[in-house]
Amino acid sequence: MSKTTAATAALQKAGIAFDLHPYAYDPDAPRVGLQAAEALGVDPSQTFKTLMAEVDGKGVCVVVPSDGEVSMKKLAAHFKGKSAQMMKVPDAEKVTGFKVGGISPFGQRKTHPTAIDETAQLYDRIYINAGQRGLLLSIAPDDAAHVLNAGYVDVMAE
């Protein structure tokens, strides 16, 4: 497993501090983020998944707790759109340069408007995919928001 990915290279270039956390990736896990949290012994609400979606047909990135679901209505509203839907897997892999299960918000092939769920602010550090299956990184939420030019937003389904 490589410790340098497009995500870690982007953070290093930006001068952002982070720590790497490899874990045994289970491709058969029903929810990869929850499996990662369990493997690392981290609270699932502190482990964030990176999802690619489309708002009115335009790609966006949303970073949310692995134990929650995104409200497409709230996501569309945040990006001032009428409707939102999850991006199809092949499209998400193409625009990010990462494989599903290893998509990171950092170092994507194409920059997308990004939202981070507001609950990230509850933690000193959050865990996010480092751009490779079986590798998370921990980062200060404000550093993540800064480098992604992202706002904190309530995008979780009730």
Side-chain angles (χ1 to χ4, degrees), residues 47-51 62-66 68-70 115 117 155-156:
T47 306
F48 283 66
K49 56 188 173 184
T50 305
L51 303 174
V62 59
V63 181
V64 297
S66 63
E69 297 296 325
V70 175
D117 187 69
V155 290
M156 301 306 291

Side-chain angles (χ1 to χ4, degrees), residues 64-133:
V64 297
S66 63
D67 60 352
E69 297 296 325
V70 175
S71 163
M72 291 297 156
K73 187 175 181 179
K74 289 179 181 179
L75 186 64
H78 172 69
F79 287 111
K80 298 179 180 23
K82 292 182 181 186
S83 67
Q85 64 184 26
M86 292 302 297
M87 192 178 282
K88 290 180 174 63
V89 169
D91 295 337
E93 291 181 341
K94 182 178 180 183
V95 300
T96 64
F98 299 116
K99 293 284 184 199
V100 166
I103 292 179
S104 179
F106 312 109
Q108 293 186 359
R109 187 174 286 150
K110 180 179 181 227
T111 303
H112 294 88
T114 302
I116 300 173
D117 187 69
E118 64 188 3
T119 60
Q121 299 172 95
L122 299 173
Y123 303 100
D124 292 334
R125 296 184 78 71
I126 57 174
Y127 294 77
I128 303 176
N129 199 290
Q132 185 173 298
R133 293 171 177 166

Side-chain angles (χ1 to χ4, degrees), residues 19-54:
D19 293 309
L20 290 176
H21 305 276
Y23 67 95
Y25 174 78
D26 179 1
D28 298 321
R31 295 180 66 180
V32 174
L34 294 179
Q35 186 263 324
E38 185 178 334
L40 291 172
V42 178
D43 184 339
S45 62
Q46 189 177 1
T47 306
F48 283 66
K49 56 188 173 184
T50 305
L51 303 174
M52 298 305 296
E54 293 177 342

